[in-house]
Amino acid sequence: MKKIQQATDIVRLLNAVLMGVSIGLTVAKSVRETFREMADDPEFRAKVAAARAAKDN
């Protein structure tokens, strides 16, 4: 009976780990898409260029 409980605990732990990885990958994909959209925005590019110019001075 104890081995069944241990196996159940391991399966639950693996399930939780996989759920966490899945959530992490979803967040990373969302962040990547957001940055791609921002990079395509001319106003954002201008702000980045201005910030870089200010940093260089």
Side-chain angles (χ1 to χ4, degrees), residues 20-39:
V21 169
S22 176
I23 291 169
L25 289 174
T26 302
V27 169
K29 181 180 178 184
S30 176
V31 168
R32 188 174 64 236
E33 288 173 356
T34 300
F35 277 109
R36 280 189 182 147
E37 289 172 7
M38 290 170 66

Side-chain angles (χ1 to χ4, degrees), residues 3-46:
K3 288 191 177 201
I4 293 173
Q5 183 62 40
Q6 288 174 340
T8 302
D9 291 343
I10 290 171
V11 168
R12 285 184 180 156
L13 178 63
L14 288 174
N15 191 20
V17 169
L18 290 175
M19 182 81 74
V21 169
S22 176
I23 291 169
L25 289 174
T26 302
V27 169
K29 181 180 178 184
S30 176
V31 168
R32 188 174 64 236
E33 288 173 356
T34 300
F35 277 109
R36 280 189 182 147
E37 289 172 7
M38 290 170 66
D40 291 340
D41 183 14
E43 289 180 21
F44 179 74
R45 285 182 180 220

